[in-house]
Amino acid sequence: MNEIDDVRGVDQKAQNTPSAAESVHALATAQQYELEATAMAILKTSEMQKAMEEARQLLSKLSWARSETAQQTFEQVVSECAGYALLSAANRDPQNPGLVWLQTPRKEWLGHAVTGSRFCFDNPDNIYRYAFIDDASTYVLDSRPAGPTGRFSVAIYVALTGAEVESWEAWERTADAADEERMIVDSEGASRITIGPEDPRDGSLHLKSKGGTFVIVREALNDWHTQRPRAMSFRKVAGPQTLALTFDDRVAIAARYMMFGAQTIAQFEGLHASIPLNDFGAPLQRGHSTKPSMITQGRYHLADDEALIMNFLPQAAEYMSLSVTSPWLISRNAVSKSGSRTGCQSHQNADGTYTYVLSHRDPGVANWMDTDGLLEGCIAMRWEGMHAPAADPNDAISGVRVVKLDAVRSALPADFPSVGPAERATELAGRQADYESRCGVDCRFIEG
């Protein structure tokens, strides 16, 4: 059923282990290496450096940019916005499309260093893979499992976030979408999805492409320890010929995307101000999968001796997660620190709810969300794979309050687990090992 011919290790270019040449990895592909190398070459150009400087000037004028925390993380947002633009531009070729893994922290792997590419409430649980299309052509997405899998969805968006449009609502618009509920799989779990103007009626799942410009494949890993990303390939099989992009073309696209990205972040100024402090805004319904999904954003500002206690209902969601970001909406350290938690990584209360504690210092209890030293920032809560839309989305948030750090224990249920220093160290070491295992090869992630 599958013809995953692009999923070979890049190890012929970067020998990471003695047996690397025989390895096959879902993410460490030759194509990924080549796209990252192109992106890093674009980064060195004067055009890209000029675009980054223009972005700095724009972002520095935002109202929240003057705070100590925003200044502390300012260069990071410029760098990661650039990474998003660079990898998108490197892969912007509908004639010869690739699947590029992005929305990750900075990393060193495969023999080279790659800038971070996180952007606008990235989700540390997600494996994000992007491909660009023209809606007059037909494409094939093949996938196969490499072990237990996470929640899968594929969506065809009308515009790249931070590029072609200038509103959140427009970024969320999809031409078509599906998740594992609609996938057609064989006895080994392999699947094929066709994307194009006409259904080939070949027994595969077909998604309509009219109006679409790019595809996002998401795999939400609820259990980092056991779940692995699928091996995938993406190729064009029919449609009009398009001109191949030169390196200079990609440089121009990356510079344009850099500025669009900065403008996108600037547009969050209104949203940022509208979210109540130490609380959450109304959850938003999302449309990138077959089953209903929601997301809500919050803001926090805590003193060193304070904690934010948050309570959520699971909404019968197959996947849920809470993550902490900087004021610039970039996830904090979720690799070696607890900057995010899935439902699988969280203690669930006896009544079925989930309680989380956000603070700068370890409160000594389960479900600690680490701010990673930032006095202020944002929070995102996601529910995906809900069995029905929420009658009232606001009911999913059952309470948010600030307490003194030394009062956290007494503010929680009596049976809420305590976590000592040794247990916390073991937990965090396990998080890092689990996160890095998704790469399939040696990889060092660098935060900050």
Side-chain angles (χ1 to χ4, degrees):
M1 180 178 185
N2 277 277
E3 297 175 7
I4 304 180
D5 43 24
D6 292 328
V7 187
R8 61 186 187 279
V10 304
D11 312 288
Q12 63 271 23
K13 298 192 178 191
Q15 296 287 333
N16 289 70
T17 65
S19 61
E22 292 137 20
S23 299
V24 176
H25 306 301
L27 299 174
T29 65
Q31 189 176 68
Q32 181 74 24
Y33 178 92
E34 290 159 4
L35 291 170
E36 289 176 345
T38 299
M40 294 305 96
I42 296 172
L43 178 61
K44 297 176 183 178
T45 64
S46 59
E47 294 91 336
M48 189 63 191
Q49 291 297 314
K50 179 182 177 183
M52 291 173 67
E53 182 55 34
E54 291 175 353
R56 285 188 185 92
Q57 296 301 318
L58 173 62
L59 295 174
S60 67
K61 297 174 183 177
L62 299 180
S63 58
W64 77 71
R66 294 184 290 273
S67 75
E68 178 182 346
T69 303
Q71 287 294 309
Q72 181 183 343
T73 53
F74 184 76
E75 282 305 315
Q76 181 192 31
V77 70
V78 174
S79 175
E80 303 244 6
C81 184
Y84 184 88
L86 291 162
L87 285 167
S88 298
N91 195 34
R92 185 79 196 235
D93 189 351
Q95 182 62 30
N96 299 292
L99 279 174
V100 62
W101 179 35
L102 47 61
Q103 295 271 27
T104 74
R106 285 191 297 157
K107 59 183 181 292
E108 294 175 352
W109 75 329
L110 309 177
H112 65 181
V114 185
T115 187
S117 53
R118 293 172 290 182
F119 186 74
C120 286
F121 281 118
D122 63 286
N123 182 353
D125 306 321
N126 274 357
I127 306 294
Y128 295 93
R129 284 180 270 196
Y130 283 46
F132 290 84
I133 64 172
D134 72 82
D135 65 358
S137 298
T138 300
Y139 301 84
V140 170
L141 172 66
D142 282 328
S143 71
R144 67 165 180 257
T149 55
R151 180 170 175 76
F152 174 94
S153 68
V154 55
I156 305 167
Y157 284 86
V158 300
L160 179 68
T161 303
E164 288 88 348
V165 295
E166 298 182 357
S167 74
W168 177 265
E169 293 78 10
W171 299 327
E172 286 288 290
R173 280 209 331 267
T174 58
D176 206 347
D179 54 23
E180 63 265 25
E181 296 296 314
R182 293 180 60 191
M183 287 175 65
I184 302 169
V185 300
D186 65 16
S187 59
E188 296 181 350
S191 69
R192 171 166 292 177
I193 296 174
T194 59
I195 296 170
E198 300 292 338
D199 188 344
R201 302 190 183 281
D202 60 358
S204 63
L205 170 63
H206 177 71
L207 299 183
K208 301 180 295 295
S209 63
K210 185 176 181 181
T213 61
F214 82 109
V215 178
I216 298 182
V217 181
R218 292 178 177 89
E219 293 181 273
L221 305 184
N222 193 33
D223 184 346
W224 291 8
H225 186 64
T226 63
Q227 292 175 340
R228 296 292 179 268
R230 294 165 172 84
M232 295 185 186
S233 72
F234 190 85
R235 65 189 187 281
K236 179 176 176 176
V237 295
Q241 194 82 4
T242 58
L243 291 176
L245 297 180
T246 67
F247 180 78
D248 288 344
D249 292 332
R250 287 179 168 83
V251 171
I253 291 170
R256 182 165 63 92
Y257 281 4
M258 181 73 215
M259 286 309 301
F260 276 130
Q263 291 164 3
T264 298
I265 295 168
Q267 288 183 23
F268 275 91
E269 194 163 27
L271 174 64
H272 190 272
S274 70
I275 299 173
L277 190 60
N278 294 328
D279 205 347
F280 288 85
L284 302 174
Q285 303 282 353
R286 309 191 74 189
H288 63 253
S289 60
T290 306
K291 289 185 176 179
S293 299
M294 295 193 309
I295 184 172
T296 181
Q297 296 100 1
R299 283 198 301 144
Y300 76 88
H301 193 299
L302 298 171
D304 187 61
D305 65 344
E306 292 180 326
L308 188 67
I309 297 180
M310 302 161 282
N311 295 287
F312 301 98
L313 275 68
Q315 299 293 291
E318 295 169 2
Y319 161 81
M320 58 180 289
S321 74
L322 182 66
S323 59
V324 185
T325 80
S326 73
W328 303 104
L329 314 180
I330 294 173
S331 60
R332 294 307 289 170
N333 189 341
V335 180
S336 60
K337 296 183 180 180
S338 54
S340 74
R341 288 188 186 274
T342 69
C344 187
Q345 295 167 334
S346 306
H347 165 75
Q348 187 174 20
N349 298 321
D351 63 0
T353 63
Y354 288 84
T355 301
Y356 296 91
V357 180
L358 175 72
S359 59
H360 309 306
R361 291 184 283 130
D362 191 343
V365 297
N367 296 359
W368 174 38
M369 307 299 300
D370 189 347
T371 65
D372 196 20
L374 296 190
L375 295 178
E376 61 177 323
C378 297
I379 327 164
M381 185 70 189
R382 296 171 171 87
W383 297 263
E384 295 184 6
M386 297 160 53
H387 295 289
D392 184 349
N394 291 302
D395 289 343
I397 307 166
S398 58
V400 182
R401 57 182 170 142
V402 176
V403 303
K404 291 296 184 181
L405 190 63
D406 59 10
V408 165
R409 176 70 270 179
S410 60
L412 297 172
D415 61 350
F416 201 84
S418 296
V419 178
E423 188 178 355
R424 184 75 75 198
T426 299
E427 174 196 6
L428 297 180
R431 280 184 68 89
Q432 182 164 356
D434 289 345
Y435 189 93
E436 292 173 348
S437 70
R438 65 182 63 180
C439 301
V441 297
D442 290 341
C443 183
R444 175 173 172 256
F445 290 95
I446 305 165
E447 282 290 346

Coordinates of all heavy atoms in Angstrom, one line a residue, residues 140-193:
V140 N 0.1 12.7 -2.7 CA -0.1 11.5 -2.0 C 0.7 11.6 -0.7 O 1.9 11.9 -0.7 CB 0.3 10.2 -2.8 CG1 0.3 9.0 -1.9 CG2 -0.6 10.0 -4.0
L141 N 0.0 11.4 0.4 CA 0.7 11.3 1.8 C 0.6 9.8 2.2 O -0.5 9.3 2.5 CB 0.0 12.2 2.8 CG 0.4 12.1 4.2 CD1 1.8 12.5 4.4 CD2 -0.5 12.9 5.1
D142 N 1.7 9.2 2.3 CA 1.8 7.8 2.8 C 2.3 7.8 4.2 O 3.2 8.6 4.5 CB 2.7 6.9 1.9 CG 2.0 6.5 0.7 OD1 0.8 6.3 0.7 OD2 2.7 6.3 -0.4
S143 N 1.8 6.9 5.1 CA 2.4 6.8 6.4 C 2.3 5.4 6.9 O 1.5 4.6 6.5 CB 1.6 7.7 7.4 OG 0.3 7.2 7.6
R144 N 3.2 5.1 7.8 CA 3.2 3.8 8.5 C 3.6 4.0 9.9 O 4.5 4.8 10.2 CB 4.0 2.8 7.7 CG 5.5 3.1 7.8 CD 6.3 1.8 7.3 NE 7.7 2.1 7.3 CZ 8.5 2.3 6.3 NH1 7.9 2.4 5.1 NH2 9.7 2.6 6.4
P145 N 3.1 3.2 10.8 CA 3.5 3.3 12.2 C 4.9 2.7 12.5 O 5.3 1.8 11.8 CB 2.5 2.5 13.0 CG 2.0 1.5 12.0 CD 2.1 2.2 10.7
A146 N 5.6 3.3 13.4 CA 6.9 2.8 13.8 C 6.9 2.4 15.3 O 7.9 2.3 16.0 CB 8.0 3.9 13.7
G147 N 5.7 2.0 15.7 CA 5.4 1.7 17.1 C 4.1 2.2 17.5 O 3.3 2.7 16.7
P148 N 3.8 2.3 18.8 CA 2.5 3.0 19.3 C 2.5 4.4 18.8 O 3.5 5.1 18.8 CB 2.6 2.9 20.8 CG 3.6 1.8 21.1 CD 4.6 1.8 20.0
T149 N 1.3 4.9 18.3 CA 1.2 6.2 17.7 C 0.4 7.1 18.6 O -0.4 6.7 19.4 CB 0.6 6.1 16.3 OG1 -0.6 5.4 16.4 CG2 1.5 5.3 15.4
G150 N 0.6 8.4 18.3 CA -0.2 9.4 19.0 C -1.4 9.8 18.2 O -1.7 9.2 17.1
R151 N -2.1 10.8 18.6 CA -3.3 11.3 17.9 C -2.8 12.0 16.6 O -2.1 12.9 16.6 CB -4.0 12.3 18.8 CG -5.3 12.8 18.1 CD -6.2 13.5 19.1 NE -7.3 14.1 18.3 CZ -8.3 13.3 17.8 NH1 -8.4 12.1 18.1 NH2 -9.3 13.9 17.1
F152 N -3.4 11.5 15.5 CA -3.0 12.0 14.1 C -4.1 12.9 13.6 O -5.3 12.6 13.7 CB -2.8 10.7 13.3 CG -2.6 11.1 11.8 CD1 -1.3 11.1 11.3 CD2 -3.6 11.2 10.9 CE1 -1.0 11.4 10.0 CE2 -3.4 11.5 9.6 CZ -2.1 11.6 9.1
S153 N -3.6 14.0 12.9 CA -4.6 14.8 12.1 C -3.8 15.4 11.0 O -2.6 15.7 11.1 CB -5.2 15.9 13.0 OG -4.3 16.9 13.4
V154 N -4.5 15.6 9.9 CA -3.9 16.3 8.7 C -4.9 17.4 8.3 O -6.1 17.1 8.2 CB -3.6 15.4 7.6 CG1 -4.8 14.5 7.2 CG2 -3.0 16.1 6.4
A155 N -4.5 18.6 8.1 CA -5.3 19.7 7.7 C -4.7 20.5 6.6 O -3.5 20.7 6.5 CB -5.6 20.6 8.9
I156 N -5.6 20.9 5.6 CA -5.1 21.7 4.5 C -5.6 23.1 4.8 O -6.8 23.4 4.8 CB -5.8 21.2 3.2 CG1 -5.4 19.7 3.0 CG2 -5.3 22.0 2.0 CD1 -6.3 19.0 1.9
Y157 N -4.6 24.0 5.0 CA -4.9 25.4 5.4 C -4.9 26.3 4.1 O -4.2 26.0 3.2 CB -3.9 25.8 6.4 CG -4.1 25.3 7.8 CD1 -3.6 24.1 8.2 CD2 -4.9 26.0 8.7 CE1 -3.9 23.5 9.4 CE2 -5.1 25.5 10.0 CZ -4.6 24.3 10.3 OH -4.9 23.8 11.6
V158 N -5.7 27.3 4.3 CA -5.7 28.3 3.1 C -4.6 29.3 3.1 O -4.3 29.9 2.1 CB -7.1 29.1 3.2 CG1 -8.3 28.1 3.1 CG2 -7.2 29.9 4.4
A159 N -3.9 29.4 4.3 CA -2.7 30.3 4.3 C -1.8 29.9 5.4 O -2.2 29.4 6.5 CB -3.2 31.7 4.6
L160 N -0.5 30.1 5.2 CA 0.5 29.8 6.2 C 0.4 30.8 7.4 O 0.3 32.1 7.1 CB 1.9 29.9 5.6 CG 3.1 29.7 6.5 CD1 3.1 28.2 7.0 CD2 4.4 30.0 5.8
T161 N 0.4 30.4 8.6 CA 0.3 31.3 9.7 C 1.5 32.2 9.6 O 2.7 31.8 9.5 CB 0.4 30.5 11.0 OG1 -0.6 29.5 11.1 CG2 0.3 31.4 12.2
G162 N 1.2 33.5 9.7 CA 2.3 34.5 9.7 C 2.7 34.9 8.3 O 3.7 35.6 8.1
A163 N 1.9 34.5 7.3 CA 2.3 34.9 5.9 C 1.1 35.5 5.2 O 0.9 36.7 5.2 CB 2.8 33.6 5.2
E164 N 0.3 34.7 4.5 CA -0.6 35.2 3.5 C -1.8 36.0 4.0 O -2.4 36.8 3.3 CB -1.1 34.1 2.6 CG -0.1 33.5 1.6 CD 0.7 32.4 2.2 OE1 0.7 32.2 3.5 OE2 1.5 31.8 1.5
V165 N -2.2 35.8 5.3 CA -3.3 36.5 5.8 C -3.0 37.2 7.1 O -1.9 36.9 7.7 CB -4.5 35.6 6.0 CG1 -5.0 35.0 4.7 CG2 -4.2 34.4 6.9
E166 N -3.9 38.0 7.6 CA -3.5 38.8 8.8 C -4.6 38.7 9.9 O -4.9 39.7 10.5 CB -3.3 40.2 8.4 CG -2.1 40.4 7.4 CD -1.8 41.8 7.1 OE1 -2.5 42.7 7.5 OE2 -0.8 42.0 6.3
S167 N -5.2 37.6 10.1 CA -6.1 37.4 11.2 C -6.1 36.0 11.7 O -5.9 35.1 10.9 CB -7.6 37.8 10.8 OG -8.1 36.8 9.9
W168 N -6.3 35.8 13.0 CA -6.3 34.5 13.6 C -7.4 33.6 12.9 O -7.2 32.4 12.6 CB -6.6 34.6 15.1 CG -6.7 33.3 15.8 CD1 -7.8 32.6 16.1 CD2 -5.6 32.5 16.2 NE1 -7.5 31.4 16.7 CE2 -6.1 31.3 16.8 CE3 -4.2 32.6 16.2 CZ2 -5.3 30.3 17.4 CZ3 -3.4 31.6 16.8 CH2 -4.0 30.5 17.3
E169 N -8.6 34.2 12.7 CA -9.7 33.4 12.1 C -9.3 32.9 10.7 O -9.6 31.7 10.4 CB -10.9 34.3 12.0 CG -11.5 34.7 13.3 CD -10.8 35.8 14.0 OE1 -9.9 36.4 13.4 OE2 -11.1 36.1 15.2
A170 N -8.6 33.7 9.9 CA -8.2 33.2 8.6 C -7.2 32.1 8.7 O -7.2 31.2 7.9 CB -7.7 34.4 7.8
W171 N -6.3 32.2 9.6 CA -5.2 31.2 9.8 C -5.9 29.8 10.1 O -5.4 28.8 9.7 CB -4.2 31.5 10.8 CG -3.5 32.8 10.6 CD1 -3.1 33.3 9.4 CD2 -3.0 33.7 11.6 NE1 -2.5 34.5 9.6 CE2 -2.4 34.7 10.9 CE3 -3.1 33.7 13.0 CZ2 -1.8 35.8 11.6 CZ3 -2.6 34.8 13.6 CH2 -1.9 35.8 12.9
E172 N -7.0 29.9 10.9 CA -7.6 28.6 11.3 C -8.5 28.0 10.2 O -9.0 26.9 10.3 CB -8.5 28.9 12.5 CG -7.6 29.1 13.8 CD -7.0 27.8 14.3 OE1 -7.7 27.0 14.8 OE2 -5.8 27.7 14.2
R173 N -8.7 28.7 9.1 CA -9.6 28.2 8.0 C -8.9 27.1 7.3 O -7.8 27.2 6.9 CB -10.0 29.3 7.0 CG -11.1 30.2 7.5 CD -11.9 30.8 6.3 NE -11.2 31.0 5.1 CZ -10.5 32.1 4.7 NH1 -10.5 33.1 5.5 NH2 -9.9 32.2 3.6
T174 N -9.6 26.0 7.1 CA -9.1 24.8 6.4 C -10.0 24.5 5.2 O -11.2 24.7 5.2 CB -9.1 23.6 7.3 OG1 -10.4 23.3 7.8 CG2 -8.1 23.8 8.5
A175 N -9.3 24.0 4.1 CA -10.0 23.5 2.9 C -10.6 22.2 3.2 O -11.7 21.8 2.7 CB -9.1 23.5 1.7
D176 N -9.9 21.4 4.0 CA -10.4 20.0 4.4 C -9.5 19.6 5.5 O -8.4 20.1 5.7 CB -10.3 19.1 3.2 CG -11.3 17.9 3.3 OD1 -11.9 17.8 4.4 OD2 -11.5 17.2 2.3
A177 N -9.9 18.6 6.3 CA -9.2 18.0 7.4 C -9.7 16.6 7.7 O -10.8 16.3 7.4 CB -9.3 19.0 8.6
A178 N -8.8 15.9 8.4 CA -9.2 14.5 8.8 C -8.3 14.1 10.0 O -7.2 14.7 10.1 CB -9.0 13.5 7.7
D179 N -8.7 13.2 10.7 CA -7.9 12.6 11.7 C -8.0 11.1 11.6 O -8.5 10.5 10.6 CB -8.2 13.1 13.2 CG -9.7 12.9 13.5 OD1 -10.4 12.0 12.9 OD2 -10.2 13.6 14.4
E180 N -7.5 10.3 12.6 CA -7.5 8.9 12.5 C -8.9 8.3 12.4 O -9.1 7.1 12.0 CB -6.8 8.2 13.7 CG -7.4 8.5 15.0 CD -6.7 9.6 15.7 OE1 -6.2 10.5 15.1 OE2 -6.8 9.7 17.0
E181 N -9.9 9.0 12.8 CA -11.3 8.5 12.6 C -11.7 8.3 11.2 O -12.5 7.4 10.9 CB -12.3 9.6 13.2 CG -12.2 9.8 14.7 CD -12.5 8.5 15.5 OE1 -13.5 7.9 15.2 OE2 -11.7 8.2 16.4
R182 N -11.0 9.0 10.3 CA -11.4 8.9 8.8 C -10.3 8.1 8.1 O -10.5 7.8 6.9 CB -11.5 10.3 8.2 CG -12.7 11.0 8.7 CD -12.8 12.4 8.0 NE -12.9 12.3 6.5 CZ -12.7 13.3 5.7 NH1 -12.4 14.5 6.2 NH2 -12.8 13.1 4.4
M183 N -9.2 7.8 8.7 CA -8.1 7.1 8.0 C -8.5 5.7 7.6 O -9.2 5.0 8.3 CB -6.8 7.1 8.9 CG -6.1 8.4 9.0 SD -4.7 8.4 10.2 CE -3.6 7.2 9.3
I184 N -8.0 5.3 6.5 CA -8.2 3.9 6.0 C -6.8 3.2 6.1 O -5.8 3.6 5.4 CB -8.6 3.9 4.5 CG1 -10.0 4.7 4.4 CG2 -8.8 2.5 4.0 CD1 -10.4 5.0 3.0
V185 N -6.7 2.2 6.9 CA -5.4 1.6 7.2 C -5.5 0.1 6.8 O -6.5 -0.5 6.8 CB -5.1 1.7 8.7 CG1 -5.0 3.2 9.1 CG2 -6.1 1.0 9.6
D186 N -4.3 -0.4 6.5 CA -4.2 -1.8 6.2 C -3.9 -2.6 7.4 O -3.9 -2.1 8.5 CB -3.2 -2.1 5.1 CG -1.7 -1.7 5.5 OD1 -1.5 -1.6 6.7 OD2 -0.9 -1.6 4.6
S187 N -3.6 -3.9 7.3 CA -3.4 -4.8 8.4 C -2.2 -4.4 9.3 O -2.1 -4.8 10.4 CB -3.3 -6.2 8.0 OG -2.2 -6.4 7.1
E188 N -1.3 -3.6 8.7 CA -0.1 -3.2 9.4 C -0.2 -1.7 9.9 O 0.8 -1.2 10.4 CB 1.2 -3.3 8.5 CG 1.4 -4.8 8.1 CD 2.7 -4.9 7.3 OE1 3.2 -3.9 6.8 OE2 3.1 -6.1 7.1
G189 N -1.3 -1.1 9.7 CA -1.5 0.2 10.2 C -1.1 1.3 9.2 O -1.2 2.5 9.5
A190 N -0.7 0.9 8.0 CA -0.2 1.9 7.0 C -1.4 2.5 6.3 O -2.5 1.9 6.2 CB 0.6 1.2 6.0
S191 N -1.3 3.7 5.9 CA -2.4 4.4 5.3 C -1.9 5.3 4.1 O -0.7 5.6 4.0 CB -3.1 5.3 6.3 OG -2.3 6.4 6.7
R192 N -2.9 5.7 3.3 CA -2.6 6.6 2.2 C -3.7 7.6 2.1 O -4.9 7.3 2.2 CB -2.5 5.8 0.8 CG -2.5 6.8 -0.4 CD -2.1 6.0 -1.6 NE -0.7 5.6 -1.5 CZ -0.1 4.9 -2.5 NH1 -0.7 4.5 -3.5 NH2 1.2 4.6 -2.3
I193 N -3.3 8.9 2.0 CA -4.2 10.0 1.8 C -3.9 10.7 0.6 O -2.7 11.0 0.3 CB -4.2 11.0 3.0 CG1 -4.6 10.2 4.3 CG2 -5.0 12.2 2.8 CD1 -4.4 11.1 5.6

